[in-house]
Amino acid sequence: MSDFVMVAGTWLGAWAWDEVAAELRGAGHAVHPLTLSGLAERRNTQPAGQQTHVRDIVEEVERLGLRDAVLVGHSYAGIPAGQAAERLGDRLRHVVFVDANVPVDGESFLSGWPSDHVRQAIDDHAGYWPPLGPEDYAGQGLTDEQIARIVGGSTPHPGVTLTEPAVLTGPLDALPATYVKCLLDGDEPMPAAAALLKSDNWELVTLDTGHWPMFSQPRALARVLHAAVARP
């Protein structure tokens, strides 16, 4: 049995893991989905920035008194999760990045890709990145019902968490980690993740689905997470 702490990406909260959590609990694991400050049921809190999300994760692991835990970060959440993993040290057994961004010291979530439209959207919406519409989820292996669930549950994402730079004190390739690449969202991990995957401590796993596998293939994702911690 392992303790999984699971953090979803932009616009989402702990609710996004419901189906994956049920699968993992059925396999005997304990699962602790986490909603980051400013999102979902915590949307009325005002995060100071990305480092607030790092603290959210660290404080949750410490509050639960976890040792040998598995931290899972999806999409944007890979950035605070990677920083939190560095700070949590031996409290963690493994880190799983699900089609995720990885933190690079001094760089933000919006660094390294054409993001002017995101910055403009944040400016136009009082400092928040508004959720995507149904049309933006096309081609990601999702049913209409799954898309409606994502759209209906999404909340605006605090923009400063996307523009604040990550802070790392050492290389992430020392972490025992699995990177899950969702192939409908592109065949290759982003360059920062690809560089980390050269380490013997990191493993690449692929899923033939889109960027939101907790909705499109929850059982397959749960199997990947179970396998990641079952290995010696």
Side-chain angles (χ1 to χ4, degrees):
M1 189 274 286
S2 294
D3 282 284
F4 284 87
V5 176
M6 311 181 76
V7 193
T10 48
W11 312 301
L12 304 175
W15 64 272
W17 298 106
D18 285 354
E19 291 178 80
V20 176
E23 294 289 330
L24 289 172
R25 288 173 181 139
H29 300 291
V31 187
H32 313 279
L34 174 64
T35 294
L36 297 173
S37 296
L39 294 160
E41 74 275 13
R42 300 181 68 186
R43 60 187 174 275
N44 292 326
T45 62
Q46 295 297 321
Q50 184 190 112
Q51 294 306 307
T52 304
H53 286 175
V54 176
R55 289 193 297 273
D56 286 342
I57 297 168
V58 171
E59 289 172 1
E60 182 70 356
V61 173
E62 293 177 342
R63 182 187 70 81
L64 293 167
L66 301 182
R67 296 278 179 183
D68 210 31
V70 182
L71 178 58
V72 181
H74 162 253
S75 191
Y76 154 79
I79 292 181
Q83 294 170 81
E86 185 179 70
R87 298 174 196 187
L88 288 163
D90 61 7
R91 281 186 175 271
L92 297 183
R93 174 183 177 184
H94 202 80
V95 185
V96 183
F97 295 88
V98 179
D99 218 39
N101 298 73
V102 296
V104 176
D105 187 52
E107 296 189 13
S108 73
F109 171 77
L110 295 181
S111 299
W113 58 284
S115 57
D116 287 349
H117 65 294
V118 178
R119 297 175 192 273
Q120 187 62 56
I122 293 169
D123 288 343
D124 291 344
H125 292 84
Y128 285 81
W129 190 14
L132 300 179
E135 66 281 357
D136 297 305
Y137 291 93
Q140 294 293 316
L142 295 157
T143 65
D144 289 345
E145 181 180 357
Q146 289 163 345
I147 291 172
R149 184 176 168 219
I150 299 172
V151 172
S154 293
T155 50
H157 191 97
V160 70
T161 67
L162 308 175
T163 58
E164 185 174 288
V167 180
L168 295 172
T169 60
L172 284 182
D173 58 6
L175 290 174
T178 298
Y179 191 93
V180 182
K181 183 70 194 80
C182 297
L183 298 176
L184 293 182
D185 197 50
D187 293 338
E188 300 292 335
M190 289 176 286
L196 291 166
L197 282 162
K198 295 176 182 178
S199 167
D200 291 340
N201 296 316
W202 282 58
E203 179 185 29
L204 176 64
V205 177
T206 60
L207 282 177
D208 190 17
T209 190
H211 186 61
W212 292 273
M214 64 277 281
F215 298 102
S216 59
Q217 289 193 9
R219 290 181 179 176
L221 178 56
R223 287 195 296 269
V224 168
L225 296 176
H226 175 79
V229 298
R231 298 183 185 92

